[in-house]
Amino acid sequence: KFLHNLMEKKDFEAWLDNISITFLSLTDLQKNETLDHLISLSGAVQLRHLSNNLEILLKRDFLKLLPLELSFYLLKWLDPHTLLTCCLVSKQWNKVISACTEVWQTACKNLGWQIDDSVQDPLHWKKVYLKAILRMKQLKDHEAFETSSLIGHSARVYALYYRDGLLCTGSDDLSAKLWDVSTGQCIYGIQTHTCATVKFDEQKLVTGSFDNTVACWEWSSGAKTQHFRGHTGAVFSVDYNDELDVLVSGSADFTVKVWALSTGTCLNTLTGHTEWVTKVVLQKCKVKSLMHSPGDYILLSADKYEIKIWPIGREINCKCLKTLSVSEDRSISLQPRLHFDGKYIVCSSALGLYQWDFASYDIVR
C-alpha cells in the first residue's frame, strides 16, 4: 500500500511538473481562463484554502512590518478624516496612528487650537482633535450653547459688556442694567442716555451714546459723576484705565478722543480714520518691537477698513505707529470688532478673522 501511494505521489508530481510547464507557456488570458475553470471545479475545502492563501500573498500589513519612524512619516501624508477611518482597521493600526503626535498636533493647529508642547502623552492630541471636531459640529448645529433670556428692557438693546459672570446692557429705553448671568437677576438699573456702548467695573459704569457724548455713572447711587462732551457723531466705543486716569472714545465723526477720566477734559483728538470708529481698545503692551516696549500703554482704534495703533502717554504729539488693513468690502457694516491682549491683535471683518503678532505686526493667520 505504501509503495502504491508513493508511486501515486511520484505520478502526481510528474503530472504537476508537466502542467506547470504548460501553464507557464500560456498567455495571460489563457492563464486566467485556466484558473477560472479550476475554481469552477473546486469544492468548499479548496475555496477556503484558496481564500486563506490569497490573503497572505496579496495583503501586507505595512504598519506592523515597518519601523515606527517610517510609519509616522507615511501617516503624515494623510488627512485626519482618512486617519480616523484607518484607526478602525485593527487595534494595532489604531495604536500606531493614535501615537503619531505630530499628525494630531498639526490637525489641532489647523483647527485653531492652541498647542501646549509640554504634554508628553502621545495619545493626548488625538483626543484633543476629536473633542475639537465635536465642538465645531456643535457650533455648526447650534447645539454648543444653552440660551436663556434676560427680560427687563422696553426698547432695543444696543450695547453689551460681559465681565466675571456679570453682563451690562444699554438700551434705547434710556437705561442701563447689570445682570447676574447665572441667575438671570437684574442687580442694578440706572437711568442713562441712549447707549451705543457700555463698560463697567465694581464702582462705575461708562456709557457712550447716540447723543454724541460719553458719561460716567455710579452704580450705588445711579448718579452721573462725569460728562464728556466734544464728539460730533455717535460714540460707538469706549475704554478706560483708572491707573492712567484716561478714557478713550471712538465716534461716527471719524475721530478718537483721549480724555482725563477724573475731570472730563479732552486731552487729544486723534484723526486719520476715514470711516466711523467702531472700536477702541486701551491695553498694556507685553512685547518689545522697534516702536514700543513691554509696559507701554497702547491704544488701538478700528473702523471698517483698518486698525490704527497709537502710543498713550505721549498725548501732545501722539502719532499713529502703524495702520493695519482688514477689509476691502464696501458694504455697510459696523465691523470690524477688535480684541488685543498685549501680544496679539485679533479682528473680525467681512473677509474673516485676522490675527497679528504685535511684536512684528505680521499676520499670524
Side-chain angles (χ1 to χ4, degrees):
K1 190 178 180 182
F2 174 74
L3 278 173
H4 177 69
N5 284 347
L6 200 64
M7 288 299 289
E8 253 187 16
K9 193 179 177 191
K10 264 189 171 179
D11 289 345
F12 172 71
E13 283 175 356
W15 174 81
L16 195 59
D17 283 343
N18 204 17
I19 285 286
S20 301
I21 292 161
T22 313
F23 184 77
L24 289 171
S25 68
L26 300 176
T27 64
D28 281 342
L29 196 64
Q30 288 169 332
K31 282 177 183 174
N32 288 350
E33 275 187 40
T34 307
L35 289 173
D36 287 342
H37 185 64
L38 287 172
I39 289 167
S40 71
L41 298 174
S42 300
V45 176
Q46 286 74 45
L47 291 174
R48 193 178 301 112
H49 176 77
L50 194 63
S51 172
N52 292 339
N53 282 290
L54 278 175
E55 193 163 358
I56 295 161
L57 288 169
L58 295 177
K59 292 181 184 174
R60 282 283 186 275
D61 188 343
F62 66 93
L63 284 191
K64 227 180 208 174
L65 300 170
L66 287 176
L68 213 50
E69 294 79 11
L70 272 177
S71 294
F72 286 167
Y73 177 76
L74 287 172
L75 293 171
K76 276 194 276 187
W77 296 96
L78 297 177
D79 63 279
H81 184 73
T82 306
L83 285 171
L84 289 174
T85 309
C86 291
C87 285
L88 304 173
V89 170
S90 67
K91 283 183 180 176
Q92 174 71 16
W93 278 45
N94 185 38
K95 191 177 170 185
V96 173
I97 293 166
S98 299
C100 191
T101 305
E102 198 179 332
V103 166
W104 300 112
Q105 273 192 347
T106 305
C108 290
K109 276 179 187 166
N110 291 342
L111 286 178
W113 239 243
Q114 289 294 325
I115 300 300
D116 179 3
D117 290 320
S118 64
V119 178
Q120 295 298 315
D121 177 17
L123 305 180
H124 170 77
W125 292 108
K126 184 188 167 195
K127 291 173 193 165
V128 172
Y129 176 77
L130 290 171
K131 189 175 162 189
I133 287 291
L134 177 64
R135 176 45 57 98
M136 305 284 263
K137 186 180 183 305
Q138 286 172 335
L139 286 167
K140 196 176 170 185
D141 299 341
H142 306 289
E143 292 169 359
F145 306 103
E146 289 178 26
T147 56
S148 58
S149 299
L150 305 173
I151 298 163
H153 285 293
S154 58
R156 176 181 68 160
V157 175
Y158 194 87
L160 296 171
Y161 183 77
Y162 176 81
R163 173 182 160 176
D164 301 332
L166 299 173
L167 179 72
C168 183
T169 57
S171 169
D172 281 353
D173 65 8
L174 307 185
S175 79
K177 294 182 188 295
L178 188 67
W179 310 80
D180 181 330
V181 173
S182 60
T183 63
Q185 296 298 306
C186 181
I187 303 166
Y188 286 114
I190 297 181
Q191 290 301 302
T192 61
H193 44 192
T194 55
C195 295
T197 180
V198 291
K199 186 172 182 184
F200 71 90
D201 56 41
E202 287 80 1
Q203 281 78 44
K204 65 183 175 296
L205 163 71
V206 175
T207 57
S209 174
F210 290 105
D211 69 9
N212 307 351
T213 70
V214 178
C216 186
W217 315 78
E218 195 174 63
W219 282 120
S220 54
S221 64
K224 188 195 293 179
T225 57
Q226 202 56 259
H227 213 158
F228 306 81
R229 302 171 192 271
H231 280 296
T232 56
V235 179
F236 287 124
S237 183
V238 293
D239 202 355
Y240 62 85
N241 184 286
D242 289 308
E243 187 188 333
L244 288 177
D245 189 35
V246 160
L247 180 141
V248 290
S249 56
S251 167
D253 64 11
F254 300 0
T255 70
V256 177
K257 286 188 182 289
V258 182
W259 315 79
L261 184 57
S262 55
T263 63
T265 313
C266 183
L267 304 173
N268 205 352
T269 300
L270 308 177
T271 58
H273 283 284
T274 56
E275 288 284 329
W276 294 354
V277 181
T278 55
K279 188 69 177 172
V280 288
V281 177
L282 183 58
Q283 176 66 263
K284 194 183 276 188
C285 175
K286 294 177 185 172
V287 290
K288 182 170 176 53
S289 85
L290 291 170
M291 300 184 187
H292 45 71
S293 306
D296 289 355
Y297 277 94
I298 300 290
L299 166 63
L300 267 62
S301 58
D303 63 34
K304 202 169 88 175
Y305 304 120
E306 56 192 28
I307 301 166
K308 289 190 178 292
I309 299 165
W310 316 82
I312 285 288
R314 302 199 286 277
E315 262 64 57
I316 307 307
N317 299 312
C318 189
K319 294 268 193 299
C320 178
L321 297 176
K322 186 81 177 170
T323 300
L324 307 173
S325 180
V326 291
S327 181
E328 298 294 326
D329 181 19
R330 298 282 150 182
S331 60
I332 294 167
S333 152
L334 285 182
Q335 301 295 42
R337 275 320 205 211
L338 186 66
H339 177 76
F340 175 52
D341 66 355
K343 287 183 180 178
Y344 297 103
I345 302 169
V346 178
C347 183
S348 65
S349 82
L351 300 181
L353 206 62
Y354 288 78
Q355 182 185 8
W356 285 270
D357 174 38
F358 194 58
S360 64
Y361 298 123
D362 291 336
I363 290 179
V364 181
R365 51 188 167 166

